[in-house]
């Protein structure tokens, strides 16, 4: 044995040479006279003829003695101690992390799942184990360990993609729309403001965000994103209440000559309007009248009456006047001297023979000639005295009688 080298031993002097310590063994005391010693569990020796065994490094272990190498902790696990003797000493990468590599020396070498994903179990060994946050959610930061790390997009927003990483990835409902649903994943959850309303804000989260058009204006469409969508009611129309979807026509007898109005105006007396949606009223023509407001037509004057343009009432042809053409649109004419008429007359009555217009007032009837007098002509203002040799003992006679 004395001739043997370190890392080898000789059994006795009859041996022809020294024997090298094999792989997995070592010359523990560097004495060639003593046998080689096997490496203990947790250690190894990969070469023959060595005097020490090496410790299994971090990420590796060896449960058996006299081994030439250590075993690796599998992917998804790590081992931060040296000289480990059991596979059970390999620890799982924590939740939120994974590793596709074996032989990891520490938990820090496990790879964090990216933002927008999470792993809620330990020991994951591939990136595909990272679970994507569902559409409508997001997760900030890497290494998320729980499904609760995926945060809901707030009401008023939506997110159609998985794996969102920030609140800014949640898309606001556009102006004119709102959403009352949390964690929305589709733009269809953004509800259009109803017709008659508008909203200029993005990300609105309640129906009250939609503002009604003021009275006098209307919005026929839904989803209006600015106040300019509220249109003025045109002349002849109105809107009495806010948030109108349309304007209402002024009815017959009423009008409106301006836009953006909340009511129509009654046609005043002496005017009328037979049609709806009008911007003015029409004055009553001669021969017609109207004393009421909001009228759809003017009334005709009767025969023996007349009315000028824009009359509240008809004027009756008085005694001494007549409606000579029976047209209410023309004024009454005065009866001439020697004639008369009563009210509503369409013609004057001529004083007949034997009569006369004593007071030349055409509103009073003709008088009969008195006895002793006569009048042979019509339309006269006086009677003649019977001449000598003649007489008349009756009233209203055209001639005198010879004696």
């Amino acid at each position: 044995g004395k001739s043997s080298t370190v890392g080898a031993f000789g059994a006795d002097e009859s041996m022809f040479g020294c024997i090298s310590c094999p792989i997995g063994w070592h010359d523990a005391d560097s004495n060639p006279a003593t046998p080689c010693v096997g490496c203990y569990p947790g250690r190894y020796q990969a070469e023959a003829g060595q005097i020490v065994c090496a410790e299994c490094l971090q990420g590796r272990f060896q449960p058996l003695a006299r081994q030439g190498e250590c075993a690796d902790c599998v992917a998804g696990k790590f081992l931060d101690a040296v000289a480990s003797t059991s596979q059970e000493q390999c620890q799982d990468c924590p939740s939120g992390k994974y590793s596709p590599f074996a032989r990891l020396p520490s938990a820090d070498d496990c790879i964090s799942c990216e933002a927008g994903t999470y792993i809620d179990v330990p020991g994951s060994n591939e990136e595909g184990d990272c679970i994507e946050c569902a559409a409508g959610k997001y997760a900030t930061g890497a290494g998320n360990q729980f499904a609760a790390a995926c945060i809901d997009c707030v009401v008023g927003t939506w997110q159609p993609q998985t794996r969102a990483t920030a609140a800014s990835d949640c898309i606001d409902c556009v102006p004119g729309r709102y959403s009352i649903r949390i964690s929305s994943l589709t733009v269809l959850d953004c509800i259009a403001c109803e017709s008659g309303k508008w909203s200029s804000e993005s990300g609105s989260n309640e129906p009250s965000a939609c503002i009604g058009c003021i009275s006098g204006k209307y919005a026929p469409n839904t989803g209006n994103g600015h106040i300019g969508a509220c249109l003025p009611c045109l002349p002849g129309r109105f809107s009495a209440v806010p948030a109108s979807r349309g304007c209402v026509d002024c009815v017959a007898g009423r009008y409106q000559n301006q836009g953006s109005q909340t009511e129509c105006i009654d046609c005043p007396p002496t005017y009328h309007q037979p049609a709806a949606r009008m911007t003015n009223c029409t004055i009553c023509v001669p021969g017609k009248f109207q004393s009421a407001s909001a009228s759809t037509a003017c009334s005709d004057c009767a025969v023996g009456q007349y009315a000028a343009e824009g009359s509240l009432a008809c004027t009756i042809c008085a005694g001494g006047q007549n409606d000579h053409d029976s047209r209410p649109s023309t004024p009454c004419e005065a009866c001439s001297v020697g004639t008369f008429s009563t009210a509503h007359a369409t013609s004057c009555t001529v004083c007949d023979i034997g009569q006369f217009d004593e007071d030349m007032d055409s509103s009073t009837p003709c008088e009969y000639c008195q006895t002793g007098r006569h009048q042979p002509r019509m339309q006269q203002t006086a009677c003649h005295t019977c001449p000598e040799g003649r007489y008349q003992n009756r009233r209203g006679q055209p001639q005198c009688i010879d004696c």
Side-chain angles (χ1 to χ4, degrees):
K2 294 186 185 283
S3 61
S4 298
T5 60
V6 174
F9 78 97
D12 55 49
E13 293 183 357
S14 64
M15 299 291 292
F16 293 100
C18 295
I19 301 171
S20 295
C21 291
I23 291 173
W25 297 73
H26 72 292
D27 185 2
D29 56 4
S30 300
N31 184 353
T34 59
C36 297
V37 179
C39 293
Y40 296 119
R43 296 171 180 268
Y44 75 101
Q45 181 49 258
E47 297 180 11
Q50 300 300 310
I51 61 173
V52 295
C53 292
E55 294 177 330
C56 289
L57 298 178
Q58 293 170 314
R60 311 193 80 192
F61 66 93
Q62 180 50 262
L64 303 175
R66 302 182 296 277
Q67 299 301 307
E69 63 179 352
C70 297
D72 294 338
C73 289
V74 297
K77 294 180 180 288
F78 72 94
L79 181 55
D80 56 6
V82 297
S84 297
T85 62
S86 172
Q87 183 177 4
E88 282 68 31
Q89 291 177 275
C90 298
Q91 301 178 58
D92 289 330
C93 285
S95 299
K97 295 189 174 186
Y98 69 95
S99 176
F101 307 112
R103 200 188 298 181
L104 292 188
S106 73
D108 292 339
D109 293 307
C110 297
I111 303 169
S112 294
C113 287
E114 295 181 349
T117 67
Y118 69 94
I119 294 180
D120 55 3
V121 294
S124 295
N125 61 10
E126 58 179 331
E127 184 179 11
D129 291 338
C130 297
I131 303 169
E132 296 181 341
C133 290
K137 296 175 180 284
Y138 67 94
T140 61
N144 295 303
Q145 298 179 337
F146 308 102
C150 296
I151 304 168
D152 293 323
C153 288
V154 298
V155 290
T157 66
W158 60 285
Q159 171 52 259
Q161 304 295 330
T162 60
R163 208 169 180 149
T165 62
S168 59
D169 291 332
C170 300
I171 304 168
D172 286 339
C173 290
V174 298
R177 291 179 174 268
Y178 67 93
S179 173
I180 57 175
R181 183 173 181 177
I182 195 170
S183 192
S184 172
L185 51 85
T186 172
V187 70
L188 298 178
D189 288 331
C190 294
I191 303 168
C193 289
E194 61 188 13
S195 55
K197 296 184 177 184
W198 62 279
S199 172
S200 61
E201 299 293 330
S202 59
S204 296
N205 57 15
E206 56 185 350
S208 61
C210 299
I211 303 168
C213 296
I214 61 172
S215 300
K217 296 193 174 186
Y218 73 103
N221 299 319
T222 60
N224 299 305
H226 54 89
I227 192 172
C230 296
L231 306 175
C233 291
L234 297 176
R237 312 192 80 198
F238 74 100
S239 170
V241 296
S244 292
R245 301 175 181 181
C247 299
V248 181
D249 291 343
C250 293
V251 298
R254 310 192 80 198
Y255 75 101
Q256 181 51 259
N257 59 359
Q258 298 183 41
S260 301
Q261 297 302 302
T262 60
E263 61 182 354
C264 296
I265 305 168
D266 289 343
C267 290
T270 73
Y271 284 81
H272 73 291
Q273 180 49 262
R277 200 173 179 175
M278 300 307 291
T279 61
N280 58 18
C281 298
T282 303
I283 195 168
C284 292
V285 298
K288 294 178 179 286
F289 75 98
Q290 185 50 262
S291 60
S293 300
S295 297
T296 60
C298 297
S299 300
D300 291 322
C301 292
V303 175
Q305 300 177 338
Y306 83 97
E309 181 182 73
S311 292
L312 285 169
C314 296
T315 300
I316 298 172
C317 291
Q321 297 180 325
N322 74 104
D323 184 8
H324 67 287
D325 55 6
S326 297
R327 295 173 59 188
S329 60
T330 57
C332 300
E333 287 191 352
C335 293
S336 58
V337 175
T339 65
F340 76 96
S341 70
T342 58
H344 295 282
T346 57
S347 62
C348 298
T349 301
V350 178
C351 291
D352 203 356
I353 56 174
Q355 298 178 339
F356 69 104
D357 185 5
E358 182 179 25
D359 55 7
M360 292 185 288
D361 181 355
S362 56
S363 66
T364 58
C366 301
E367 298 287 340
Y368 288 105
C369 292
Q370 299 299 316
T371 56
R373 304 176 70 82
H374 73 287
Q375 179 49 265
R377 299 174 61 188
M378 301 174 66
Q379 202 175 343
Q380 299 300 304
T381 59
C383 294
H384 304 299
T385 302
C386 289
E388 293 183 4
R390 309 195 79 192
Y391 72 98
Q392 182 51 263
N393 59 352
R394 296 172 59 191
R395 297 173 62 245
Q397 298 302 305
Q399 300 292 335
C400 293
I401 304 169
D402 292 336
C403 293

